[in-house]
Amino acid sequence: MRLPHNAQCQHGQPWPLGATAMQWQGQDGVNFAVHAPHAEGVQCCLFDEESHEQSACLALPKCTDGVWHGFVPNLKTGQLYGFRASGPYAPTAGHRFNDRKLLVDPYARELVGPLKDLAHAVDYQLDESGQRQPDQADNASRIPKARVVDVEKELQLGASIAPRPNIALSDMVLFEAHVKGLTRLNPRVEAQLQGTYAGLASVPMLTHFKQLGITSVCLLPVQLHITEKHLLDLGLVNYWGYNTLGFFIPEPSYASSDCGESTRTEFRAMVDTMHRNGFEVLLDVVFNHTAESDANGPTLCWRGLNNAVAYAQDGSGNYLNPTGCGNAVNVAEPRMVQLVMDSLRWWVQAFGVDGFRFDLATTLGRDPALNYQFNRFGALLTAISQDPVLSTVKRIAEPWDVGSGGYQLGGFPAGWQEWNDQFRDTVRAYWLGHACTRGQFARRLTGSSDIFQNHGRSPLASVNLITSHDGFTLADLTTYNQRHNLDNGENNRDGHSHNLSANAGVEGHSEDPQVKHQRALWQRAMLATLFLAQGTPQLLAGDELGNSQGGNNNAYCQDNSVTWLNWAPSDAAMINFVAGLIALRKKYPALRHPSWFIGLQPHERRLPLPKGCDIAWLKPDGRPLHDEEWQDPAERALACVIEVGEDGFRATHRVMLAFNPADTPLRFALSDSSWRVVLNSATAAFDCGEILLDQCAASRSSVMVLVQDVEAAMPVAIE
């Protein structure tokens, strides 16, 4: 409907934040509430559905505890709107008010209109001295408008999604994927569904997930995001999506239809289908910074409403930047904590998701009372841990940022899991010939007790990974010694330089049989280590296909065949190998237990086993390692024997893992009892039926897994 230009708001109420279709004092309409504590006034501007022309601009009449609010009778869901805030333009005091600039509602559930060039939507002009002065041009035609959505209806639709699978942490196998890149080039997925939410949950993809045996898909950011100015200037886009504008909105470009309601419907249908097939859906979320970037970035939302409290700043209005992205959300501010909490709950309750991976999560614990150092009991982390909705879903931290004291691996509270980059780097170094010792490798293999055990957490707190979206793929890790990022437009300066990779003597693609064989040995050995290690394994989507990015280890801006998974030449043997590893992990409790090893020697064993697990470490000759041998850089090969039952029950199998990273074969001594070979990574063979008695011959760059029945076994001989 079109309101008269002199229409007036009633007071309404300061909650809930955002636009809410409701009844107030006996009238139907829409209540608007926005946090702008330092504003001198806030207007709610209404726009015509078809023309997007402004039809009314109404002053919100009341400010309660920093929240401006008003109720407009007779408005309905579907109404387009935005905000304008007036007040001082004083950047050194933290204020950037400019009522000539239309602002997006931080609580918008849908945006309509242009998104591509928003990074250019600044609120200032530079004067002759280079100082920012408020720009007087009205930008409403270039800014997307929020649409009023029926929140209660959305929550009811969310409640109809199939129940969460609630995969136990000990059974969880993560699969990190990009919605678009996962299926954009998959010929088995219908053309109209390729690169979409629906394509992710299509029959061919469900079949693939089931074949692999993964349990939980973790999606790169799916909250509405925009591309940064420097990428726009290079003709590139932010493909990964770590630049959020709409914390409550599914990214519309991943839907098969660009209608906001159909996007939400498609996202829900994806989650529902995944749940019905036993899979969890986790989201990579970015609450450490926003798309408004640094002081020279666009004014789209928070900067124009409550800049002084929304972002962490010093006493002169300069943004603190522990994220490296230009700004950092001030998560010590109660209303910003509320924003994050409300967003997370929305994705759980309205869309049914099963958990989150928090990007640059150290920033989420930075406490101004501690000079913005990390506080594991900070406001936001504590709020999440106690919340009755969020405390029941999975929470994974990327435990670092680029600020002072930013590396916090092992520092998050109980109930959190963390990406373990030390596992990644140690496993790469161990297999690819970089500096590493048996002691370092053994710690990572057994859950990184030196990192996680002190805070009463289990080995499952460690999310183990070899590769992720950020860095080389597995194929590239064994193909390139150097990054090849020229396509990113930064003269190959971006991306990691410390890759701990190897190329088998040839940089890049090679048809040399010996080079290809060595690379395959490395890849299988590292994958075997990933799925045999204690902790929670995470596989990068495409590694099971042999996917390459041509040596680009920072492909965040490549929305093309560099990052879209190439399914056409997919490596069927590698797919089967990964599936075999996951099946092996599921079969033997010794490979996925939730408790720390207690290191009982075989002659000390008593049945039933005490709480905890049993492990013995051996040199290839069958003797235990002495202290100095753990740190000998010249000798890396080792074996371990594990005996553990399922959920505290008596063990039925004893499992031996033998690791030979050398470039020559090696023999491992066995006990007198017979052992059955269940994995030889050198040949990609599982349960080949081979029975060994005295020794095990391990090929170069290989992992062997042997099993014996406990009832028929003799104790392992350790002197």
Side-chain angles (χ1 to χ4, degrees):
M1 64 174 294
R2 179 179 291 273
L3 293 179
H5 287 280
N6 62 353
Q8 297 294 314
C9 273
Q10 300 175 16
H11 282 182
Q13 60 189 44
W15 54 271
L17 291 172
T20 308
M22 60 184 294
Q23 192 175 80
W24 189 75
Q25 293 188 348
Q27 293 179 294
D28 291 327
V30 175
N31 189 80
F32 297 94
V34 60
H35 184 234
H38 297 288
E40 295 171 355
V42 174
Q43 293 177 311
C44 178
C45 299
L46 307 179
F47 293 84
D48 181 74
E49 171 72 23
E50 295 184 1
S51 69
H52 287 200
E53 294 293 327
Q54 183 172 299
S55 58
C57 204
L58 310 175
L60 298 181
K62 185 76 171 174
C63 184
T64 304
D65 295 331
V67 175
W68 290 87
H69 53 94
F71 177 83
V72 183
N74 301 318
L75 280 192
K76 300 181 184 302
T77 57
Q79 175 66 55
L80 303 184
Y81 71 99
F83 295 124
R84 297 179 188 272
S86 58
Y89 193 91
T92 58
H95 303 310
R96 294 278 291 267
F97 294 106
N98 184 344
D99 61 9
R100 302 294 293 168
K101 305 305 175 184
L102 189 73
L103 303 170
V104 170
D105 180 2
Y107 275 74
R109 264 65 177 190
E110 180 181 336
L111 289 182
V112 178
L115 295 172
K116 180 180 178 182
D117 296 319
L118 287 181
H120 291 125
V122 298
D123 67 358
Y124 64 90
Q125 290 182 328
L126 298 179
D127 61 20
E128 294 180 356
S129 64
Q131 298 299 309
R132 297 184 193 88
Q133 300 297 333
D135 178 39
Q136 296 302 311
D138 192 291
N139 69 347
S141 64
R142 303 190 302 276
I143 298 297
K145 316 305 183 289
R147 189 194 298 276
V148 178
V149 168
D150 188 336
V151 172
E152 290 302 318
K153 177 184 175 183
E154 297 291 315
L155 292 172
Q156 291 171 6
L157 291 171
S160 68
I161 294 172
R164 299 203 303 259
N166 287 321
I167 305 295
L169 290 185
S170 57
D171 296 328
M172 186 165 69
V173 177
L174 283 160
F175 185 78
E176 189 194 30
H178 187 284
V179 170
K180 182 176 183 179
L182 183 64
T183 63
R184 180 63 180 80
L185 298 179
N186 189 337
R188 295 187 179 90
V189 175
E190 294 180 46
Q192 66 270 26
L193 301 183
Q194 291 173 350
T196 68
Y197 300 122
L200 187 149
S202 62
V203 171
M205 290 310 305
L206 294 172
T207 301
H208 183 68
F209 298 152
K210 290 176 181 178
Q211 179 184 358
L212 288 177
I214 60 105
T215 67
S216 311
V217 176
C218 186
L219 301 176
L220 267 67
V222 299
Q223 294 172 326
L224 185 146
H225 50 265
I226 66 172
T227 292
E228 298 91 328
K229 180 180 181 300
H230 78 277
L231 291 178
L232 291 176
D233 294 344
L234 291 170
L236 299 171
V237 300
N238 187 323
Y239 170 71
W240 284 350
Y242 292 91
N243 201 43
T244 309
L245 176 61
F247 287 113
F248 297 81
I249 307 171
E251 171 56 40
S253 66
Y254 300 157
S256 51
S257 169
D258 61 2
C259 168
E261 184 173 0
S262 62
T263 295
R264 296 192 297 276
T265 298
E266 184 173 330
F267 189 93
R268 281 193 194 91
M270 177 269 291
V271 175
D272 181 73
T273 301
M274 294 290 281
H275 283 184
R276 292 181 188 279
N277 284 272
F279 300 111
E280 295 180 317
V281 178
L282 285 76
L283 306 184
D284 197 337
V285 288
V286 188
F287 293 108
N288 56 80
H289 74 283
T290 77
E292 291 185 308
S293 188
D294 60 19
N296 298 317
T299 293
L300 302 171
C301 181
W302 303 273
R303 179 169 287 144
L305 289 168
N306 58 356
N307 183 68
V309 295
Y311 297 118
Q313 300 172 47
D314 65 14
S316 300
N318 299 307
Y319 292 136
L320 303 182
N321 188 23
T323 67
C325 300
N327 64 49
V329 173
N330 181 12
V331 291
E333 157 59 37
R335 290 295 185 179
M336 298 308 288
V337 172
Q338 181 183 357
L339 174 75
V340 176
M341 297 292 289
D342 288 347
S343 171
L344 292 172
R345 279 192 293 262
W346 179 251
W347 288 94
V348 173
Q349 296 175 318
F351 294 114
V353 303
D354 302 275
F356 305 94
R357 188 208 77 120
F358 293 83
D359 179 64
L360 299 181
T362 295
T363 299
L364 305 184
R366 289 194 175 273
D367 189 341
L370 300 175
N371 196 26
Y372 285 101
Q373 293 300 301
F374 178 75
N375 179 3
R376 63 194 297 261
F377 300 115
L380 178 59
L381 300 183
T382 298
I384 292 172
S385 294
Q386 62 78 45
D387 186 83
V389 173
L390 301 179
S391 62
T392 65
V393 302
K394 294 182 168 68
R395 291 158 280 151
I396 303 172
E398 183 184 34
W400 50 76
D401 63 19
V402 300
S404 172
Y407 189 73
Q408 290 294 329
L409 180 64
F412 281 75
W416 286 72
Q417 297 174 282
E418 301 177 34
W419 268 22
N420 189 344
D421 65 321
Q422 292 195 31
F423 179 93
R424 176 197 66 197
D425 292 351
T426 299
V427 172
R428 290 183 179 189
Y430 182 82
W431 288 110
L432 300 181
H434 302 278
C436 186
T437 67
R438 285 186 286 209
Q440 292 170 322
F441 181 75
R443 281 195 182 278
R444 304 302 153 237
L445 185 72
T446 52
S448 298
S449 60
D450 57 324
I451 296 170
F452 295 105
Q453 191 172 12
N454 287 341
H455 294 308
R457 300 162 74 189
S458 84
L460 300 171
S462 175
V463 174
N464 299 332
L465 63 156
I466 306 297
T467 57
S468 69
H469 70 277
D470 188 2
F472 280 142
T473 68
L474 183 66
D476 289 353
L477 184 65
T478 57
T479 303
Y480 298 94
N481 277 343
Q482 307 295 328
R483 63 194 176 200
H484 295 264
N485 298 353
L486 285 173
D487 288 346
N488 296 353
E490 299 183 40
N491 295 316
N492 210 41
R493 294 191 302 267
D494 62 302
H496 297 293
S497 59
H498 184 63
N499 294 296
L500 297 169
S501 59
N503 64 12
V506 177
E507 184 75 356
H509 178 76
S510 174
E511 290 298 327
D512 185 317
Q514 293 183 341
V515 171
K516 293 174 70 175
H517 179 63
Q518 181 60 63
R519 290 173 176 175
L521 288 176
W522 282 334
Q523 290 173 27
R524 290 196 295 268
M526 286 189 286
L527 285 169
T529 304
L530 174 65
F531 290 106
L532 297 174
Q534 309 301 331
T536 302
Q538 176 175 286
L539 177 71
L540 173 64
D543 279 353
E544 79 279 16
L545 309 176
N547 186 63
S548 170
Q549 294 181 167
N552 193 323
N553 75 349
N554 189 35
Y556 75 106
C557 55
Q558 300 298 321
D559 185 6
N560 49 48
S561 59
V562 172
T563 51
W564 302 342
L565 301 191
N566 190 354
W567 290 81
S570 60
D571 190 338
M574 184 66 87
I575 294 173
N576 291 332
F577 183 69
V578 172
L581 290 172
I582 296 175
L584 193 69
R585 180 181 182 86
K586 290 181 178 180
K587 183 175 182 179
Y588 295 106
L591 305 177
R592 50 175 175 80
H593 64 87
S595 301
W596 297 106
F597 289 120
I598 59 176
L600 291 179
Q601 299 299 316
H603 66 274
E604 295 175 326
R605 291 192 178 103
R606 299 289 185 270
L607 296 177
L609 290 174
K611 183 178 181 181
C613 304
D614 223 341
I615 189 168
W617 296 98
L618 307 170
K619 294 185 294 186
D621 64 6
R623 296 175 180 273
L625 284 92
H626 299 294
D627 290 348
E628 65 278 4
E629 293 172 320
W630 283 108
Q631 306 307 323
D632 183 355
E635 296 291 338
R636 298 195 186 191
L638 81 162
C640 62
V641 178
I642 306 171
E643 182 181 322
V644 54
E646 183 83 71
D647 296 328
F649 289 95
R650 174 176 174 171
T652 58
H653 297 93
R654 187 169 294 140
V655 179
M656 178 176 178
L657 312 179
F659 302 92
N660 178 23
D663 56 7
T664 57
L666 185 64
R667 295 185 179 276
F668 286 82
L670 303 176
S671 67
D672 294 336
S673 300
S674 62
W675 293 80
R676 184 174 74 257
V677 179
V678 297
L679 169 64
N680 182 348
S681 73
T683 60
F686 295 90
D687 285 316
C688 57
E690 183 180 7
I691 303 298
L692 303 178
L693 295 175
D694 299 322
Q695 59 184 6
C696 166
S699 302
R700 63 187 171 94
S701 305
S702 72
V703 180
M704 300 282 290
V705 180
L706 300 88
V707 172
Q708 62 178 197
D709 296 333
V710 168
E711 291 82 359
M714 296 291 290
V716 178
I718 295 182
E719 298 180 3

